[in-house]
Amino acid sequence: MKSLPLMIHQVPGRVRVRIHRLSYDQSFAKLLKEHLITVKGIKKVRLNCWSASVIIHYEKNRNINIHYQILLSINQAETTNGVRPKEDSNNSKKLEEWSSLTYPGLATLFSLTALKIKLPGLRLIAILMLLRAAFPVVQRAYDSVVNQQKLNIDCIDTLALVFSGLQGKIVTPSLVITLHELGDIIREKTARSTETKTSNLLDTIGNFAWVERNETIVSVESHTVEIDEIVVVYPGEKIPVDGIVIKGNATIDQQQLTGESMPIVAEKDTYVYASTLVRSGEIRIKSERIGHNTRAAASFELLDKAPVHDTRMANYAANLAEQLIMPSLLLSAIILTVTRDPSRVASILTLDFVTGIRVSMPTAFLGALNHTTRHGILVRSGRTLELLSEIDTIVFDKTGTLTQGNIEIVHIETVDQGLDQNKLLQLAASAEQRITHPVAEAIAHYATKRNIDILPRQSWDYEVGLGMVATIDGQTVLVGSEKLLTSKGVTVIETVTQQKNAGLSPVYVACDGVFQGILYYSDPLRPQSAKLIHSLQRDYGMEVHLLTGDHQKRATEVGKQLNIPPSQVHAEAFPEDKAKIVQNLHHSGKTVAFVGDGLNDSVALAYADVSISFENGSDIARETADVVLMNNDLNDLLEAISIAQQTKQLITQNTLMVVAPNIAALGLATTVGLNPLLATLVHNGTAIVAGLNSLRPLVQHKLESN
């Protein structure tokens, strides 16, 4: 149930709102205050729960939509409040996961104790614990034979337990069951949760919308907007619907939806999309698509339809066990017929090769997952590690992945006999101060970086899509497009290096009607991008693709800088296009990894064999990804691939460690005979050795860090 605010009193810089829920829900009140106080521009928040009201002091000169921020904070407080009980259920689930070890562990403990201490009743307790521990194994075997009409590894385990029991052995079967359960638990711990944690659509497109109804502007939940209604969007707000602009101008950041790094200028008849951000300006939109019909929602729908892979790592032990069931049974039957010796049969059934693999393989993956975590890399499953060691094609999103995702000034050029670079930058930054447009922010940031003082701005007029006209120290300064300068009667002079900087975007500057120079900006590459691509191509022999929603010219330029062939550069791609490109590569027989960080990348991430994102990526990209680079460092990708390949080699070693001794022991058990306890020692010993070998990378990492 939504808590709707009632405005009681408002003056510039201060507002008082009544929210009925404050009078009876202390947790909600605390969360609401926490959310409100984090809003930029809000200076002080005071709650009066007795009167169910909140008083908010805010910066009256700051461009802040206080009504919208209150509604947003209420929604966040209600959402947070409703999620917390899950923590307790998660803790109980973790305890439940380990509960299957209780009876096997007690059976092993009591049986070992009974060997050393001859207390009355101790052996009986051990036998009862063993019977209780063996019950799930026998139950699974019965279900497999009766209901599925097939033999499985539990059938072999049950027979081994029976023959060991006939010999009066209780330590051997107790150890076998314990090791099997431990391996299964570790395997489950390395499996990725099957629960979908997809971000709420309303969090992406915005929870509320301002609509014109009965000649007034009211706030409604975004999914209740009706077709053809007029939606008003203010600076700093997300567009909540797809539709056509009917009035106003605005600079819109579409990066999260399309991946295009440069904002667009929306004016009358421009089609705009939900989830995109209005950086500056104000527009009125005639809504055409609402909620789940928007283009942003289409990404979620594609994500839901993405193939759901088995989230457990490949169960090699089970496959091997199935192949060995009939040979083991036949060999056991032959030996029993010839020798009439149950102990030999118990030894043969015990030496099944499978326990060592069931324990060591999950342990190898668990060790590798911990290893990656210590390097700041979150890998969600053992299956991901398997595929990561096999990838031969890797597709990168451009904006925010290979590039920094933020506009920067990269070059300044002045005209002859005009202002010097520092003065030109000072005037431009002073004119653009406190403007939320990405280019204006880049100019101000560059001036701060070069320790240039910002001068007072006497008057200013920002023209959306054109630029800024401001008065600085009595001088009229123009900062913006060539169109802005020519409209004010300024002649733009072609500079010497304009051709050289053709791949960069220009901002023109004039002072008192005289053209003074150009500021060039770009979304620069991450420092490690070029080296990473080179290493992937040279050291790992991978085919590298560049995929972006940006325009073809910019995409080609970035591809050239990174030495990616033009045929492997894909531009102007919406989310569904990115998913199709990844699918086509997969269908051509390649094992594909996709690296991206935005909402627009989430579908491609879902369709890739291995999906990789960043800790500071969008919520949905981070939750969809199989691998998350927690340090936001592309170089960690090489580390993840290296660990995955090492893990694959480790599994091969473990398989040899288990199979070779068990084959030798099986030969002895079949010919001259082998004591069941010695067979158990070989059987379980190889499992333990292989398991310890699986943990070797963790020990090496610890020694290296010390």
Side-chain angles (χ1 to χ4, degrees):
M1 181 178 176
K2 293 292 179 185
S3 305
L4 297 177
L6 174 65
M7 197 68 62
I8 301 174
H9 179 70
Q10 182 175 11
V11 295
R14 182 178 179 274
V15 63
R16 183 177 180 180
V17 181
R18 178 168 291 138
I19 305 170
H20 180 61
R21 186 168 174 173
L22 292 174
S23 62
Y24 63 86
D25 191 338
Q26 294 297 313
S27 176
F28 168 78
K30 182 180 178 182
L31 288 167
L32 178 62
K33 184 175 182 179
E34 289 175 358
H35 287 296
L36 283 170
I37 205 67
T38 59
V39 176
K40 288 184 178 180
I42 291 181
K43 298 189 293 185
K44 182 181 178 183
V45 177
R46 184 162 62 88
L47 296 177
N48 188 332
C49 294
W50 291 102
S51 62
S53 66
V54 56
I55 299 171
I56 303 169
H57 296 264
Y58 61 95
E59 298 174 16
K60 58 185 178 181
N61 294 327
R62 189 182 181 92
N63 188 9
I64 177 174
N65 190 328
I66 193 66
H67 302 271
Y68 174 79
Q69 293 298 339
I70 292 171
L71 285 168
L72 187 60
S73 296
I74 289 172
N75 180 73
Q76 290 173 332
E78 289 181 331
T79 303
T80 307
N81 204 29
V83 166
R84 289 190 172 184
K86 285 187 178 179
E87 294 178 7
D88 295 333
S89 64
N90 287 338
N91 290 334
S92 62
K93 187 176 179 181
K94 288 178 181 178
L95 291 174
E96 186 180 340
E97 287 174 354
W98 289 97
S99 64
S100 60
L101 264 181
T102 302
Y103 290 109
L106 289 173
T108 302
L109 177 64
F110 281 115
S111 61
L112 288 172
T113 305
L115 285 176
K116 298 291 184 182
I117 305 174
K118 305 298 181 182
L119 286 177
L122 190 59
R123 181 177 174 80
L124 178 61
I125 294 173
I127 292 172
L128 291 174
M129 288 295 175
L130 174 59
L131 290 173
R132 178 61 184 84
F135 178 74
V137 179
V138 177
Q139 191 176 41
R140 290 194 298 268
Y142 176 83
D143 179 68
S144 178
V145 173
V146 175
N147 297 327
Q148 301 177 37
Q149 285 82 47
K150 62 178 287 190
L151 296 172
N152 65 3
I153 186 60
D154 292 308
C155 299
I156 296 288
D157 291 342
T158 300
L159 288 174
L161 293 174
V162 169
F163 280 103
S164 294
L166 291 175
Q167 298 298 304
K169 309 292 183 182
I170 57 175
V171 175
T172 299
S174 297
L175 277 172
V176 169
I177 295 174
T178 301
L179 287 169
H180 283 189
E181 289 296 335
L182 180 62
D184 289 341
I185 289 172
I186 294 174
R187 185 177 64 235
E188 292 296 337
K189 295 291 285 183
T190 65
R192 183 178 181 178
S193 170
T194 57
E195 296 178 8
T196 303
K197 299 178 180 178
T198 304
S199 299
N200 192 295
L201 174 63
L202 294 179
D203 293 335
T204 302
I205 67 175
N207 291 272
F208 300 97
W210 299 101
V211 298
E212 288 186 353
R213 290 180 180 173
N214 300 323
E215 298 184 353
T216 59
I217 298 175
V218 296
S219 175
V220 300
E221 293 181 336
S222 58
H223 67 278
T224 65
V225 176
E226 297 178 2
I227 301 295
D228 292 336
E229 272 198 307
I230 306 304
V231 177
V232 185
V233 188
Y234 299 101
E237 294 181 353
K238 286 183 178 179
I239 297 176
V241 298
D242 290 357
I244 295 176
V245 177
I246 61 170
K247 185 180 179 182
N249 296 286
T251 304
I252 299 178
D253 185 346
Q254 299 189 96
Q255 183 172 328
Q256 284 297 304
L257 181 63
T258 67
E260 189 171 349
S261 57
M262 297 304 302
I264 67 164
V265 176
E267 50 193 10
K268 187 177 180 181
D269 295 332
T270 301
Y271 199 93
V272 294
Y273 299 99
S275 81
T276 57
L277 177 68
V278 173
R279 286 278 196 162
S280 59
E282 177 183 323
I283 51 175
R284 279 169 166 73
I285 304 166
K286 184 178 181 181
S287 60
E288 292 192 358
R289 292 192 177 93
I290 315 298
H292 292 280
N293 293 319
T294 59
R295 180 175 282 277
S299 296
F300 284 86
E301 186 178 351
L302 283 168
L303 194 59
D304 290 336
K305 292 178 180 177
V308 179
H309 300 289
D310 179 12
T311 54
R312 288 170 60 134
M313 70 177 191
N315 194 341
Y316 295 106
N319 294 334
L320 181 59
E322 287 186 5
Q323 295 172 18
L324 292 175
I325 287 172
M326 289 309 298
S328 295
L329 288 176
L330 289 173
L331 184 60
S332 300
I334 292 170
I335 295 300
L336 183 62
T337 302
V338 173
T339 66
R340 304 289 181 181
D341 186 354
S343 64
R344 284 201 185 190
V345 176
S347 298
I348 292 169
L349 292 172
T350 298
L351 295 164
D352 58 9
F353 304 99
V354 180
T355 300
I357 300 175
R358 284 173 69 173
V359 173
S360 66
M361 189 171 296
T363 306
F365 281 114
L366 184 63
L369 294 177
N370 280 303
H371 195 190
T372 56
T373 301
R374 294 183 184 193
H375 281 84
I377 306 163
L378 173 62
V379 180
R380 297 192 193 272
S381 70
R383 179 184 181 279
T384 296
L385 278 172
E386 292 177 67
L387 289 172
L388 195 59
S389 68
E390 298 169 0
I391 58 173
D392 52 33
T393 303
I394 187 161
V395 182
F396 288 92
D397 170 58
K398 179 181 73 66
T399 306
T401 302
L402 292 175
T403 68
Q404 297 180 20
N406 295 309
I407 294 171
E408 286 188 4
I409 303 298
V410 295
H411 181 66
I412 300 176
E413 185 175 7
T414 58
V415 298
D416 294 336
Q417 299 179 352
L419 301 175
D420 62 29
Q421 287 191 3
N422 286 343
K423 186 61 179 179
L424 179 74
L425 178 60
Q426 183 182 48
L427 290 175
S430 300
E432 298 278 22
Q433 60 186 294
R434 296 192 298 277
I435 301 299
T436 58
H437 190 284
V439 176
E441 292 174 344
I443 293 172
H445 176 74
Y446 192 60
T448 302
K449 185 178 176 181
R450 292 181 56 162
N451 297 317
I452 291 177
D453 296 330
I454 304 298
L455 303 174
R457 185 176 57 189
Q458 282 82 47
S459 63
W460 59 279
D461 178 28
Y462 176 62
E463 299 184 28
V464 176
L466 294 176
M468 172 69 71
V469 180
T471 303
I472 310 292
D473 274 352
Q475 304 174 86
T476 301
V477 179
L478 307 179
V479 184
S481 66
E482 184 175 359
K483 185 177 178 181
L484 172 69
L485 270 64
T486 54
S487 70
K488 302 298 181 182
V490 177
T491 302
V492 175
I493 304 170
E494 184 173 345
T495 59
V496 177
T497 60
Q498 254 182 298
Q499 294 299 321
K500 180 181 176 182
N501 296 315
L504 304 175
S505 300
V507 177
Y508 299 89
V509 182
C511 182
D512 285 339
V514 179
F515 176 64
Q516 295 292 340
I518 304 174
L519 302 173
Y520 290 100
Y521 64 90
S522 178
D523 178 11
L525 291 171
R526 288 176 182 252
Q528 63 269 44
S529 292
K531 186 177 179 180
L532 170 77
I533 299 299
H534 180 67
S535 180
L536 288 170
Q537 292 171 329
R538 182 194 62 186
D539 301 335
Y540 293 90
M542 290 191 187
E543 182 179 303
V544 178
H545 289 251
L546 174 64
L547 201 159
T548 178
D550 215 338
H551 56 81
Q552 185 67 54
K553 182 179 177 182
R554 175 62 178 150
T556 303
E557 178 193 341
V558 173
K560 186 177 180 181
Q561 291 175 358
L562 296 173
N563 199 28
I564 299 174
S567 61
Q568 292 165 207
V569 176
H570 315 273
E572 299 176 5
F574 269 102
E576 57 268 33
D577 302 317
K578 294 186 176 184
K580 188 174 181 180
I581 290 167
V582 171
Q583 281 181 293
N584 289 340
L585 288 169
H586 178 77
H587 292 327
S588 68
K590 299 182 183 300
T591 303
V592 185
F594 182 84
V595 188
D597 71 330
L599 166 65
N600 59 304
D601 301 321
S602 56
V603 182
L605 286 166
Y607 278 89
D609 294 296
V610 179
S611 51
I612 302 162
S613 191
F614 300 90
E615 194 278 334
N616 64 0
S618 69
D619 290 342
I620 187 171
R622 191 170 58 247
E623 290 170 2
T624 305
D626 300 309
V627 179
V628 182
L629 307 180
M630 303 302 291
N631 298 324
N632 301 306
D633 187 345
L634 269 178
N635 285 329
D636 287 343
L637 176 57
L638 294 176
E639 188 69 33
I641 294 172
S642 175
I643 292 173
Q645 293 184 349
Q646 289 171 13
T647 304
K648 187 176 181 180
Q649 294 170 2
L650 196 63
I651 289 171
T652 302
Q653 292 175 10
N654 288 343
T655 303
L656 291 173
M657 284 182 181
V658 170
V659 171
N662 276 272
I663 286 178
L666 183 61
L668 291 174
T670 305
T671 54
V672 300
L674 187 67
N675 187 289
L677 190 58
L678 185 57
T680 301
L681 183 62
V682 173
H683 177 252
N684 294 337
T686 55
I688 292 170
V689 170
L692 292 174
N693 186 52
S694 297
L695 299 175
R696 183 163 44 84
L698 287 179
V699 177
Q700 289 175 342
H701 175 74
K702 188 173 182 180
L703 291 173
E704 289 169 2
S705 60
N706 291 336

